[in-house]
Coordinates of all heavy atoms in Angstrom, one line a residue:
N1 N 140.0 -127.1 16.7 CA 139.2 -126.2 15.8 C 138.3 -125.3 16.7 O 137.5 -125.9 17.5 CB 138.4 -127.1 14.9 CG 137.6 -126.2 13.8 OD1 136.8 -125.4 14.2 ND2 137.9 -126.4 12.6
P2 N 138.3 -124.0 16.5 CA 137.6 -123.2 17.5 C 136.1 -123.3 17.4 O 135.4 -123.1 18.4 CB 138.0 -121.7 17.0 CG 138.4 -121.9 15.6 CD 139.1 -123.3 15.5
L3 N 135.5 -123.8 16.3 CA 134.1 -124.0 16.3 C 133.6 -125.2 17.1 O 132.4 -125.3 17.5 CB 133.6 -124.2 14.8 CG 133.8 -123.0 13.9 CD1 133.2 -123.3 12.5 CD2 133.1 -121.8 14.5
L4 N 134.5 -126.1 17.5 CA 134.1 -127.3 18.3 C 133.8 -126.8 19.7 O 133.2 -127.6 20.5 CB 135.2 -128.3 18.3 CG 135.5 -128.9 16.9 CD1 136.6 -130.0 17.0 CD2 134.3 -129.5 16.3
R5 N 134.3 -125.6 20.1 CA 134.0 -125.1 21.5 C 133.2 -123.8 21.5 O 133.0 -123.3 22.6 CB 135.4 -124.9 22.2 CG 136.3 -126.1 22.3 CD 137.6 -125.9 23.0 NE 138.3 -124.8 22.4 CZ 139.1 -124.9 21.3 NH1 139.2 -126.1 20.7 NH2 139.7 -123.9 20.8
A6 N 132.8 -123.3 20.3 CA 132.1 -122.1 20.3 C 130.7 -122.2 20.9 O 130.1 -123.2 20.8 CB 132.1 -121.6 18.8
K7 N 130.2 -121.1 21.4 CA 128.9 -121.0 22.0 C 127.8 -121.1 20.8 O 128.0 -120.6 19.8 CB 128.7 -119.7 22.7 CG 129.5 -119.6 24.0 CD 129.4 -118.2 24.6 CE 128.0 -117.7 24.8 NZ 127.9 -116.3 25.4
N8 N 126.7 -121.8 21.1 CA 125.6 -121.8 20.2 C 126.0 -122.2 18.8 O 125.5 -121.6 17.8 CB 124.9 -120.5 20.2 CG 124.4 -120.0 21.6 OD1 124.0 -120.9 22.3 ND2 124.6 -118.8 21.9
C9 N 126.9 -123.2 18.7 CA 127.3 -123.7 17.4 C 127.1 -125.2 17.3 O 127.6 -126.0 18.1 CB 128.8 -123.4 17.2 SG 129.4 -123.7 15.6
I10 N 126.4 -125.6 16.3 CA 126.2 -127.0 16.0 C 127.2 -127.4 14.9 O 127.3 -126.7 13.9 CB 124.7 -127.2 15.5 CG1 123.7 -126.9 16.5 CG2 124.6 -128.7 15.0 CD1 122.3 -126.8 16.0
V11 N 127.9 -128.5 15.1 CA 128.8 -129.0 14.1 C 128.5 -130.5 13.9 O 128.5 -131.3 14.8 CB 130.3 -128.9 14.6 CG1 131.3 -129.3 13.5 CG2 130.6 -127.4 15.0
T12 N 128.2 -130.8 12.6 CA 128.0 -132.2 12.2 C 129.0 -132.6 11.2 O 129.7 -131.8 10.6 CB 126.6 -132.3 11.6 OG1 126.4 -131.4 10.6 CG2 125.5 -132.1 12.7
P13 N 129.3 -133.9 11.2 CA 130.5 -134.4 10.4 C 130.3 -134.7 8.9 O 130.4 -135.8 8.4 CB 130.8 -135.8 11.2 CG 129.4 -136.2 11.6 CD 128.7 -135.0 12.0
H14 N 129.9 -133.6 8.2 CA 129.8 -133.6 6.7 C 128.9 -134.7 6.3 O 129.3 -135.6 5.5 CB 131.2 -133.7 6.1 CG 131.2 -133.2 4.7 ND1 132.3 -132.6 4.2 CD2 130.3 -133.2 3.7 CE1 132.1 -132.2 2.9 NE2 130.8 -132.6 2.6
I15 N 127.6 -134.7 6.8 CA 126.7 -135.8 6.5 C 125.5 -135.3 5.7 O 124.6 -136.1 5.4 CB 126.2 -136.5 7.8 CG1 125.6 -135.5 8.8 CG2 127.4 -137.3 8.4 CD1 125.0 -136.2 10.0
A16 N 125.4 -134.1 5.3 CA 124.2 -133.6 4.6 C 124.0 -134.4 3.3 O 122.8 -134.6 2.9 CB 124.3 -132.1 4.3
W17 N 125.0 -134.8 2.7 CA 124.9 -135.5 1.4 C 124.6 -137.0 1.5 O 124.4 -137.7 0.5 CB 126.3 -135.4 0.7 CG 127.4 -136.2 1.4 CD1 128.0 -135.8 2.5 CD2 127.9 -137.4 1.0 NE1 128.9 -136.8 2.9 CE2 128.9 -137.8 1.9 CE3 127.6 -138.3 -0.1 CZ2 129.6 -139.0 1.9 CZ3 128.3 -139.5 -0.2 CH2 129.3 -139.8 0.8
A18 N 124.7 -137.6 2.7 CA 125.0 -139.0 2.9 C 123.8 -139.9 3.2 O 123.9 -141.0 3.6 CB 126.0 -139.2 4.1
T19 N 122.6 -139.4 2.9 CA 121.4 -140.4 2.9 C 121.7 -141.5 1.9 O 122.3 -141.4 0.9 CB 120.1 -139.7 2.6 OG1 120.2 -139.2 1.2 CG2 119.8 -138.5 3.5
K20 N 121.1 -142.7 2.2 CA 121.2 -143.8 1.3 C 120.7 -143.5 -0.1 O 121.2 -143.9 -1.1 CB 120.6 -145.0 1.9 CG 120.8 -146.3 1.0 CD 120.2 -147.5 1.7 CE 120.5 -148.8 0.8 NZ 119.9 -150.0 1.3
E21 N 119.6 -142.7 -0.1 CA 118.9 -142.4 -1.3 C 119.9 -141.5 -2.2 O 120.1 -141.8 -3.4 CB 117.6 -141.6 -1.1 CG 116.5 -142.4 -0.5 CD 116.6 -142.5 1.0 OE1 117.6 -142.0 1.6 OE2 115.7 -143.1 1.6
A22 N 120.5 -140.5 -1.5 CA 121.5 -139.7 -2.3 C 122.7 -140.5 -2.7 O 123.2 -140.3 -3.9 CB 121.9 -138.5 -1.4
R23 N 123.2 -141.3 -1.9 CA 124.4 -142.1 -2.3 C 124.1 -143.1 -3.4 O 124.9 -143.3 -4.3 CB 125.0 -142.8 -1.0 CG 125.6 -141.9 0.0 CD 126.3 -142.6 1.1 NE 125.3 -143.2 2.0 CZ 125.0 -144.5 2.1 NH1 125.7 -145.4 1.4 NH2 124.2 -145.0 3.0
T24 N 122.9 -143.6 -3.4 CA 122.4 -144.5 -4.5 C 122.4 -143.7 -5.8 O 122.9 -144.2 -6.8 CB 121.1 -145.1 -4.2 OG1 121.1 -145.9 -3.0 CG2 120.6 -145.9 -5.4
R25 N 121.9 -142.5 -5.8 CA 121.9 -141.6 -7.0 C 123.3 -141.3 -7.4 O 123.6 -141.3 -8.6 CB 121.1 -140.4 -6.7 CG 119.6 -140.5 -6.7 CD 118.8 -139.2 -6.7 NE 119.1 -138.4 -5.6 CZ 118.4 -138.5 -4.5 NH1 117.3 -139.3 -4.4 NH2 118.6 -137.7 -3.4
L26 N 124.2 -141.1 -6.4 CA 125.5 -140.7 -6.8 C 126.2 -141.8 -7.5 O 126.9 -141.6 -8.5 CB 126.3 -140.4 -5.5 CG 127.7 -139.7 -5.6 CD1 128.0 -139.0 -4.3 CD2 128.7 -140.7 -5.9
L27 N 126.1 -143.1 -7.0 CA 126.7 -144.2 -7.6 C 126.2 -144.4 -9.0 O 126.9 -144.7 -10.0 CB 126.6 -145.4 -6.7 CG 127.2 -146.7 -7.2 CD1 128.7 -146.5 -7.5 CD2 127.0 -147.9 -6.2
E28 N 124.9 -144.3 -9.2 CA 124.3 -144.5 -10.5 C 124.8 -143.5 -11.5 O 125.0 -143.7 -12.6 CB 122.7 -144.5 -10.4 CG 122.1 -145.7 -9.6 CD 122.5 -147.0 -10.3 OE1 122.3 -147.1 -11.5 OE2 122.9 -147.9 -9.6
A29 N 124.9 -142.2 -11.0 CA 125.4 -141.1 -11.9 C 126.8 -141.3 -12.2 O 127.3 -141.0 -13.3 CB 125.2 -139.8 -11.2
A30 N 127.6 -141.8 -11.3 CA 129.1 -142.1 -11.6 C 129.2 -143.2 -12.7 O 130.0 -143.0 -13.6 CB 129.8 -142.6 -10.3
I31 N 128.3 -144.2 -12.6 CA 128.4 -145.2 -13.6 C 127.9 -144.6 -15.0 O 128.5 -144.9 -16.0 CB 127.5 -146.4 -13.2 CG1 128.1 -147.1 -12.0 CG2 127.3 -147.4 -14.3 CD1 127.1 -148.1 -11.3
A32 N 126.9 -143.8 -15.0 CA 126.4 -143.2 -16.2 C 127.5 -142.3 -16.8 O 127.7 -142.3 -18.0 CB 125.1 -142.4 -15.9
N33 N 128.2 -141.5 -16.0 CA 129.3 -140.7 -16.4 C 130.3 -141.5 -17.2 O 130.8 -141.1 -18.2 CB 129.9 -139.9 -15.3 CG 129.1 -138.7 -14.9 OD1 128.2 -138.3 -15.5 ND2 129.6 -138.1 -13.8
L34 N 130.7 -142.6 -16.5 CA 131.8 -143.5 -17.1 C 131.3 -144.1 -18.4 O 132.1 -144.1 -19.4 CB 132.2 -144.5 -16.1 CG 133.2 -145.5 -16.5 CD1 134.5 -144.8 -17.1 CD2 133.6 -146.5 -15.4
R35 N 130.1 -144.6 -18.4 CA 129.6 -145.2 -19.7 C 129.5 -144.2 -20.8 O 129.9 -144.5 -21.9 CB 128.2 -145.8 -19.4 CG 128.3 -147.1 -18.6 CD 126.9 -147.9 -18.7 NE 126.9 -149.1 -17.9 CZ 127.4 -150.2 -18.3 NH1 128.0 -150.3 -19.5 NH2 127.4 -151.3 -17.5
A36 N 129.1 -143.0 -20.5 CA 129.1 -142.0 -21.5 C 130.4 -141.7 -22.1 O 130.6 -141.5 -23.3 CB 128.4 -140.7 -21.0
F37 N 131.4 -141.6 -21.2 CA 132.8 -141.4 -21.6 C 133.3 -142.5 -22.5 O 133.9 -142.3 -23.6 CB 133.7 -141.2 -20.4 CG 135.2 -141.2 -20.7 CD1 135.8 -140.1 -21.2 CD2 136.0 -142.3 -20.5 CE1 137.1 -140.0 -21.5 CE2 137.3 -142.3 -20.8 CZ 137.9 -141.2 -21.3
L38 N 133.0 -143.7 -22.1 CA 133.5 -144.9 -22.9 C 132.8 -145.0 -24.2 O 133.3 -145.5 -25.2 CB 133.3 -146.2 -22.1 CG 134.1 -146.3 -20.8 CD1 133.7 -147.5 -20.0 CD2 135.6 -146.3 -21.1

């Protein structure tokens, strides 16, 4: 991938979403979505 070698380019592995706090909210929302459907 050309960005892995580009000058002045920071590349991080898709982690902006991945704090424990955000993942906790995600799981709770997934459960709420499913319960609402049922």
Side-chain angles (χ1 to χ4, degrees):
N1 185 299
L3 293 182
L4 299 180
R5 301 181 305 280
K7 291 171 55 178
N8 302 321
C9 187
I10 298 168
V11 183
T12 52
H14 204 145
I15 55 173
W17 69 283
T19 62
K20 185 176 182 181
E21 294 84 353
R23 289 184 291 107
T24 299
R25 286 192 295 270
L26 192 159
L27 182 54
E28 292 300 312
I31 294 167
N33 280 353
L34 178 53
R35 287 194 180 279
F37 170 77
L38 295 174

